[in-house]
Amino acid sequence: MQKFSGFSLIRQALSGHQGWQAQWRTPEPKASYDAIVVGGGGHGLGAAYYMAKEHGLKNIAVLERGWLGGGNTGRNTTIIRSNYLFDESAALFDHAVKLWEGLSQELNYNVMFSQRGVLMLAHTVHDVQSFKRHIHANRLNGVDNEWLSAEEAKEFCPPLNISPGMRYPVVGAALQRRGGVARHDAVAWGYARAADALGVDIIQNCEVTGIRRGVNGAVEGVETTKGFIGSKRIGVSAAGHTSVLMAMAGVRMPLESYPLQALVSEPVKPVFPCVVMSNTIHAYISQSDKGELVIGAGTDAYTSYSQRGALHIATHTLDAICELFPMFRRMRMLRNWGGIVDVTPDRSPIIGKTPVPGLFVNCGWGTGGFKATPGSAHVFAHTIATGEPHKINAPFTLERFRDGLMIDEAAAAAVAH
Amino acid sequence: MSRFRLPKGGRIDRARPISFRFDGKSYGGFVGDTLASALIANGVHLVGRSFKYHRPRGIMTAGADEMNALVGVGADQTRYTPNMRATLVELYHGLVAESQNRWPSLGFDVGAVNDFLSPFFPAGFYYKTFMWPKPAWKQLYEPVIRAAAGLGKAPTASDADRYMQCYAHCDVLVVGAGPAGLAAALAAAETGARVILCDEQREFGGSLLASDTDTAIDGLSAIEWVAKAVEALARHENVTLLTRTTAFGYYPHNFLGLIERVTDHVAQPDPALPRERLWQVRAKEVVLATGALERPLVFPENDRPGVMLADAARTYAARYAARPGTRAVIATAHDEAYRAALTLKQAGVQIAAIADMRPQAEGEWPAAARAAGIEVMTGTAITGTRGRMRVSGATLARIKGDGTAEKGEQFACDLVLMSGGFTPSVHLFSQSKGKLIYDEGLKAFVPGASPERNRSAGACAGETGLHATLESGYAAGEGAVRAAGFGGGLSGRSLTVTEKISAGGGFAGAVPHGRNPSFVKAFVDFQNDSTSKDIKLATREGFLSVEHVKRYTTTGMATDQGKTSNMNMLGILSDTLGKPIPEIGITTFRPPYTPVTFGAFAGMSRGELFDPARRTAIHDWAAEQGAAFEDVSLWKRAHYFPQAGEDMHAAVNRECKAVRESVGVFDASTLGKIEVVGPDAAEFMNRMYINAWTKLEPGRCRYGVMCREDGFVMDDGVVGRIAADRFHVTTTTGGAPAVLNMMEDYLQTEWPDLNVWLTSTTEQWAVIAVQGPNARKVLEPLVGDIDLSAAAMPHMSVREGHICGVQTRLFRVSFTGELGFEVNVPADYGRAVWEAIWASARRFDAVAYGTETMHVLRAEKGFIIVGQETDGTATPDDVGLTWAIGKLKKDFVGKRSLARAQMSNPQRKQLVGLLSLDNRSVLEEGAQIVANPNEPVPMAMIGHVTSSYWSSVLGHPIALAMVKGGRVRLGDTLHVPMPGKTLQVKVVEPVFFDKEGARLND
């Protein structure tokens, strides 16, 4: 792997940058692999990388229907945080944050992880109760999360409107200082380059059309648009399309797929220092390094596989943003897009084994999968490589829905009385 | 007048001069000018700086595709808007604009050092560096990058303007009012169909507004034809004409978003008018007549101020009477540049030469140019320019057979015009999920089939020439209106057009040159400074998909969203990868077509109107008493009623005591209420709620608990059986809509056989709770026809009768543990009855109390609040409600889930009470509970505090909590670690007051 650094950039500048090599190869698939990951997003590429790096598997392929990072990796609003309520979630997401903190160096690819702080706004008595519960649980789990008064929140985020006359006044906020954002495309590309350097075959434009199972029910490989590719270990990491893929192996998933929209403004000079989320009035916002305000909200109301959403969702998102930040009313929406999110009954992911021997799945991240990318990839790699879950993803089984052992992070949004 | 303003012609109103300021300097213009045309007419070309290299930039286009001339507009921060395209900003008297992304000034910009360092800043350089030392990313690199990036500055003050929204239906929506759109609208309007015609410009006409003087349609000049067409359309009552209105988004099922700019062009707007109006239009049929955009040529130094699109320069001269320069070099691969050359020559611009990349140029326009004495050099490319703040010369060179060019010849000039042909504006068509087809002749994509009911006409469909454009417009209008179900059509239409025809042609990609490609900058995306060598670098690094190239080089990601850059990027990729363009594909078109103001999306949804605030009939009374309110879902609820000098705790202590000792009155109107009626009402209730309802007699009540399908508690409330076939169901305040939705969902989709009707009656009933030992005495004098005695009306019963002469449903229920009633009266009588009850209650030293006191009183009794004790993860058993489950029922929502193994795990969190061992610390709600306080982090948490209050009645704090295996821990001491200290608590039964319930049944 050609090393990236300021020095290499200067050296290459002298030759007009003619010396840069491809960041990953474009191989044709082999007849079979020790492990196949279906889905070339951050989670899938990361899983391949960690399998090669930490589990000694050398003969791995990542199959991507389109282009690397073209799914939710390249469509999300890049918020990263780990101040989740339940022990299982906090462990999983904080595992990810710890990996984020060294990821640029690990991959020798600047993923621009920016720990600028994630501020979650409380507007009601119920919000305060819920946030305090998070903060106490996080403290005892070793996850940073602190309570700010409305005035302290404004000091941290000067554009914030904390006028008591608002329809839903800001009464305080929970702040995770280690939270932030990262450059989404770079995560996919960084993992792809590092995995490729370890010998992983990354095969784009290769759609999986079937999952072949043997007489004993175990997987034998996948049918693809580039022909059959054999493997006894297959990990599905194809957010937005998991149900369709798993159905190919006869597994019915407890997932519903919804469009989720995001939008950006035209770029402006730095004006917004952190990430702000408001669950009560449904909006979140940060400013990219390029200067665009990056904005998102909840999913559309109806299930769909169409990567676009309805106008009224964007409309409601922006009225919330304008309410919280009246100075942004004259800012303009530059681009509005959609992705598909797979949602589980308890809003927590499924990472683990399936009823089909040799078939593993990583899915159900709902609207929050990007933040978990390195952590999820790391434990999924462990699961595929060893056949058993890592202790961090052990609770995130498919069976929990059958057994009733839920990890319901939607708890934070329980009904108000 | 400036020598760059032509003495006559154009669509400007010379009788109405305007003065405006740009970067602090005063200039003059006319009504009808854009900021760009006025600047050009003043000889100003340097208008902005590019994003990355801070290169000086001028005005390149005359429309929505402008990527260089972005300015901040607005005299003060309450009306300041950054990143406005000068080409779309209409001039008004007193307009103040400034350039962006430069410091300290546009002429001398320190950031321009980036241009000299640009060899170190190729595409994606930031992915390769700034990683060492690690902390420097946050401390140094990122702040520097962030400060360098961005274009304009966000306003610092709240917007002073208002925005409105409206919805419209029509039979035919025509987008774009150039020749094709006007023709389509004329054809459609004739039939009586409802037609909406919109166009982004200040006046209809599109390209016809810059028409050649000798063009004629049906014997009229182009301008006359436009005027006649608009007049004809305006005569139809069924036609809505929207100028200054951009159709920006095409959503499913022919739903389009339009943004109308109402006052931005006015110096002193009528305060009654909104700044912008968002139209949301559902159209039976859509005609897209969105025109085409000229493509720049990608040649070295193609970005200097004074380099323009040829058709833009022509537009400035013909439409705005502004002369964009004195001596022009023209580089083209398309006939339209010859047309521009002729118009400009007429306007007094000297044409140094026309360099045509094509080996031959023999059409009507080249012939006319040659006849006018203009030097035409075919097989010739432009290979570079000179000048810094303004172009001062260009190099033209013959193209060699090997795809490079000769050394070339220098031409002095102050204007370089370029034309790579035209790209149809298929943005909206593509947003409609229509398929695009590559047209090799045009070197562009044209519309194919769409799943929506639309058709494209004119230049956006790939038509060239005015006659063909008008024909396709008429045909599209007729086709659309027929498809919308209207007969007839335009009667007696004639169409004769006098015009010269462009032979077409075009070029997409990088113009050949003989210079070292590594060391020249030929811009593809001007604003983002992405060059042809960046695109080649991306392919070298393995970014082969067009989406990857876009993202790695940022080509097409600027504020014009690739309008001028996409096709050239594809052309370069095609060359580099040796693949034809259609195989490379195209990036996805997304809304909006041009940027749309956030405020317009928000519309009137701001302040009080952000969400409707729901207020009860008794709200004003509470406000008059000085109540503090809290938001509970959409409702404003009285939180507590402070008297002079009281804080919340003092008020709540007083209110609690009064209820326990005498009586209190509480506004419970916000509770959700659903009337469940029908022969199968009891069966329906049996299925929806965990309780059994069959045996509940009319006149009796029961506390109902509802689970979701997953077996977790979703809602609760008292249900009264009014009659055998009628239930009065109450829900939580916040849960009412979800409960009704779930009921309707089940009724309509799972049990359509049940004969039941559901009606929300939340706002029909005002509910007044009268609670306390004296409650009966308060009500007795007011109620004539209901016997309130304990024998006649026991706890958990309901009676219909009258109170103060008003019809009532009177419940005997209690959420306080005291003798209590809830008086339901029609909401219109709510306040009157409340006041009568209040007058009666005051004889007993009564209080009005709010939600906080209600919370304390119910906690003393161990009554749960759904959403506080439960959080979507608690089963009925977890919160001690197993008794409520109808054991003999075959099924109810959630039953199957409750049978899952883990749902009866004894280690689940269970509801318990907690007492602070120190007898004075009020625990914090949400605080976590541990068994071993000395464990290191991460600690094993076994529960959390759900409710916690000071009980003035008991004289010590009380708390409810959910604790793992809590019911077998009664009597245990547990620990609540707080920052800096750990509190000890004793686990007790979750009932603190009147455990036997004697007071309830009094």
Short mmCIF file of all heavy atoms in Angstrom, two decimals, chain B residues 384-399:
data_model
loop_
_atom_site.label_atom_id
_atom_site.label_comp_id
_atom_site.label_asym_id
_atom_site.label_seq_id
_atom_site.Cartn_x
_atom_site.Cartn_y
_atom_site.Cartn_z
N GLY B 384 -5.49 28.21 -24.18
CA GLY B 384 -5.08 28.93 -22.99
C GLY B 384 -5.51 30.38 -23.05
O GLY B 384 -5.93 30.86 -24.10
N THR B 385 -5.47 31.01 -21.88
CA THR B 385 -5.78 32.45 -21.83
C THR B 385 -4.76 33.14 -20.95
O THR B 385 -4.04 32.49 -20.19
CB THR B 385 -7.19 32.72 -21.25
OG1 THR B 385 -7.20 32.33 -19.87
CG2 THR B 385 -8.26 31.96 -22.00
N ARG B 386 -4.71 34.46 -21.06
CA ARG B 386 -3.85 35.26 -20.21
C ARG B 386 -4.70 36.26 -19.44
O ARG B 386 -5.87 36.47 -19.75
CB ARG B 386 -2.81 36.00 -21.07
CG ARG B 386 -1.64 35.12 -21.49
CD ARG B 386 -0.75 35.85 -22.49
NE ARG B 386 -1.43 36.00 -23.78
CZ ARG B 386 -1.56 37.16 -24.41
NH1 ARG B 386 -1.07 38.26 -23.89
NH2 ARG B 386 -2.20 37.22 -25.57
N GLY B 387 -4.07 36.94 -18.48
CA GLY B 387 -4.78 37.93 -17.68
C GLY B 387 -5.06 37.37 -16.30
O GLY B 387 -5.08 36.15 -16.11
N ARG B 388 -5.25 38.27 -15.32
CA ARG B 388 -5.55 37.74 -13.99
C ARG B 388 -6.91 38.23 -13.49
O ARG B 388 -7.83 37.44 -13.35
CB ARG B 388 -4.44 38.12 -13.00
CG ARG B 388 -4.71 37.56 -11.61
CD ARG B 388 -3.44 37.18 -10.85
NE ARG B 388 -3.83 36.64 -9.54
CZ ARG B 388 -4.19 35.39 -9.32
NH1 ARG B 388 -4.20 34.52 -10.31
NH2 ARG B 388 -4.53 34.98 -8.11
N MET B 389 -7.06 39.50 -13.30
CA MET B 389 -8.36 40.01 -12.85
C MET B 389 -9.33 40.12 -14.03
O MET B 389 -10.52 40.30 -13.86
CB MET B 389 -8.19 41.39 -12.21
CG MET B 389 -7.34 41.34 -10.95
SD MET B 389 -7.94 40.13 -9.76
CE MET B 389 -6.56 40.08 -8.64
N ARG B 390 -8.79 40.06 -15.25
CA ARG B 390 -9.63 40.10 -16.45
C ARG B 390 -8.82 39.46 -17.56
O ARG B 390 -7.62 39.66 -17.67
CB ARG B 390 -9.96 41.56 -16.81
CG ARG B 390 -10.80 41.74 -18.07
CD ARG B 390 -12.26 41.40 -17.82
NE ARG B 390 -13.03 41.36 -19.06
CZ ARG B 390 -13.85 42.35 -19.46
NH1 ARG B 390 -13.97 43.44 -18.74
NH2 ARG B 390 -14.53 42.23 -20.58
N VAL B 391 -9.48 38.68 -18.37
CA VAL B 391 -8.77 38.02 -19.46
C VAL B 391 -8.21 39.09 -20.41
O VAL B 391 -8.85 40.10 -20.68
CB VAL B 391 -9.71 37.03 -20.19
CG1 VAL B 391 -10.80 37.76 -20.96
CG2 VAL B 391 -8.93 36.10 -21.09
N SER B 392 -6.97 38.86 -20.85
CA SER B 392 -6.36 39.86 -21.74
C SER B 392 -5.92 39.25 -23.06
O SER B 392 -5.49 39.96 -23.96
CB SER B 392 -5.15 40.51 -21.05
OG SER B 392 -4.17 39.53 -20.78
N GLY B 393 -5.99 37.94 -23.16
CA GLY B 393 -5.60 37.32 -24.42
C GLY B 393 -5.91 35.84 -24.41
O GLY B 393 -6.12 35.25 -23.35
N ALA B 394 -5.97 35.27 -25.63
CA ALA B 394 -6.26 33.85 -25.72
C ALA B 394 -5.37 33.24 -26.80
O ALA B 394 -4.93 33.93 -27.72
CB ALA B 394 -7.72 33.64 -26.07
N THR B 395 -5.09 31.95 -26.64
CA THR B 395 -4.30 31.25 -27.64
C THR B 395 -5.21 30.31 -28.43
O THR B 395 -5.95 29.54 -27.83
CB THR B 395 -3.19 30.43 -26.95
OG1 THR B 395 -2.51 31.29 -26.04
CG2 THR B 395 -2.23 29.85 -27.95
N LEU B 396 -5.13 30.42 -29.74
CA LEU B 396 -5.90 29.52 -30.59
C LEU B 396 -4.93 28.66 -31.38
O LEU B 396 -3.94 29.16 -31.90
CB LEU B 396 -6.79 30.32 -31.55
CG LEU B 396 -7.76 31.31 -30.89
CD1 LEU B 396 -8.61 32.01 -31.96
CD2 LEU B 396 -8.68 30.60 -29.89
N ALA B 397 -5.20 27.36 -31.42
CA ALA B 397 -4.24 26.46 -32.08
C ALA B 397 -4.99 25.39 -32.88
O ALA B 397 -6.06 24.95 -32.49
CB ALA B 397 -3.36 25.80 -31.01
N ARG B 398 -4.38 25.00 -33.97
CA ARG B 398 -4.98 23.95 -34.79
C ARG B 398 -4.87 22.61 -34.07
O ARG B 398 -3.88 22.29 -33.44
CB ARG B 398 -4.27 23.85 -36.15
CG ARG B 398 -4.62 25.01 -37.10
CD ARG B 398 -4.36 24.62 -38.55
NE ARG B 398 -5.19 23.50 -38.99
CZ ARG B 398 -6.49 23.63 -39.34
NH1 ARG B 398 -7.07 24.80 -39.29
NH2 ARG B 398 -7.17 22.56 -39.73
N ILE B 399 -5.95 21.86 -34.18
CA ILE B 399 -5.98 20.54 -33.53
C ILE B 399 -5.24 19.56 -34.42
O ILE B 399 -5.46 19.51 -35.64
CB ILE B 399 -7.43 20.08 -33.30
CG1 ILE B 399 -8.15 21.08 -32.38
CG2 ILE B 399 -7.47 18.67 -32.71
CD1 ILE B 399 -9.64 20.87 -32.32
#
